[in-house]
Amino acid sequence: MELPRNAFKHAIYAGQQQIGLWSSLASHVSVEILAGAGFDWLLLDTEHSANEVPMVLSQLQACMEHPSVMPIVRPPVNDPVAIKRLLDAGVQTLLLPMVDTPEQAADAVAATRYPPAGIRGFASASRASRFGRISNYHQRAHEEICVLVQIESRLGMDNLEAICAVPGVDGVFIGPGDLSAAIGYLGDQNNEHIVTLIEGLIGRIVTAGNRAGILTPSEALARRYIAAGGVFTAVGSDTGLLARNAEALAKRFRA
């Protein structure tokens, strides 16, 4: 059996725009529905949702009917144990939150590599290796693992170029919510000051030779960030789509 190809990783290295959707409902049923919607990737969140590893496993399985969509998982913290459990469950792309320094970025990469290149613990027959059926999994796993780190603080911005230069960091994601809060714009990430700042950060990531990503439910802002050089862009969330469309439907019939 061959090592599964990470189409998302190959696409962002080729500069091909990848349009995604955030998934926080913690449901394999909703993920199965979203997986067939036509997005390039889905972010399965475990940082800001009631999602645990067994549930993520079910959501990964829900994606398998639609191989054109790539699941990305955000652990609750940049921690080697949390990363190891998700990798063994078969996750190939991780988005690590709150990465502030190149040392933290290097630790994230090391958690995804087997020794001597890293510290990932050995499991002989995990789902990642298709229960031992991929004979050279442990030698080649890193080739298809994609490490994305999230910049969400003043310190992260200060260290941006150094983080971009860490070997094994495949993409740098700007977290607009926490980033805007960190500089005094809590809940106001669509403020023009923040938008202009983010466009500049995307430009710095691209200039540093890395690949930039972001989440925004605003189509206008998504297009601005793509124009600025973003190559993986989440354009909405399952909770937002459900809440806003449900409210709009109710309003039309209450009018």
Side-chain angles (χ1 to χ4, degrees):
M1 182 175 288
E2 289 295 317
L3 182 68
R5 184 177 187 271
N6 188 335
F8 173 87
K9 180 178 182 178
H10 292 280
I12 63 171
Y13 270 90
Q16 298 168 359
Q17 181 62 224
Q18 299 293 284
I19 300 298
L21 190 79
W22 224 252
S23 178
S24 300
L25 288 173
S27 164
H28 62 282
V29 176
S30 62
V31 167
E32 185 174 14
I33 294 168
L34 295 173
F39 293 100
D40 297 304
W41 57 281
L42 296 178
L43 189 287
L44 312 180
D45 196 14
T46 74
E47 183 188 16
H48 290 295
S49 71
N51 224 356
E52 301 295 343
V53 173
M55 300 157 68
V56 170
L57 173 57
S58 295
Q59 292 156 41
L60 296 173
Q61 292 169 329
C63 287
M64 291 182 73
E65 187 178 349
H66 303 282
S68 61
V69 65
M70 298 300 297
I72 300 173
V73 179
R74 179 166 69 172
V77 63
N78 181 13
D79 173 80
V81 175
I83 291 170
K84 173 175 61 179
R85 297 187 71 200
L86 291 169
L87 290 174
D88 284 349
V91 176
Q92 288 187 301
T93 301
L94 293 158
L95 174 62
L96 287 309
M98 290 291 180
V99 174
D100 296 325
T101 67
E103 292 78 17
Q104 291 173 352
D107 287 344
V109 174
T112 70
R113 267 59 170 171
Y114 290 111
I119 61 168
R120 180 181 175 184
F122 181 88
S124 62
S126 66
R127 182 176 182 270
S129 67
R130 295 302 184 262
F131 312 103
R133 294 175 180 135
I134 301 173
S135 60
N136 59 349
Y137 175 79
H138 302 91
Q139 290 74 33
R140 292 191 54 213
H142 64 280
E143 297 174 13
E144 301 298 336
I145 287 173
C146 183
V147 176
L148 311 173
V149 299
Q150 195 159 336
I151 303 300
E152 307 180 75
S153 69
R154 288 184 181 272
L155 183 58
M157 287 192 290
D158 291 342
N159 288 319
L160 184 57
E161 282 76 13
I163 290 169
C164 289
V166 172
V169 170
D170 300 300
V172 179
F173 185 92
I174 299 165
D178 282 305
L179 185 64
S180 57
I183 61 173
Y185 289 82
L186 177 63
D188 194 18
Q189 56 261 39
N190 293 348
N191 186 288
E192 184 60 28
H193 175 76
I194 298 297
V195 172
T196 303
L197 173 66
I198 289 172
E199 289 175 321
L201 293 173
I202 292 172
R204 287 172 60 189
I205 294 167
V206 173
T207 300
N210 215 301
R211 290 139 294 279
I214 197 164
L215 160 69
T216 176
S218 164
E219 182 175 346
L221 290 184
R223 296 191 183 281
R224 283 183 64 173
Y225 296 144
I226 290 170
V231 74
F232 58 104
T233 310
V235 295
S237 67
D238 54 2
T239 53
L241 289 171
L242 180 60
R244 301 294 83 78
N245 282 283
E247 291 160 1
L249 180 61
K251 184 176 181 179
R252 289 199 299 272
F253 280 88
R254 291 291 186 188

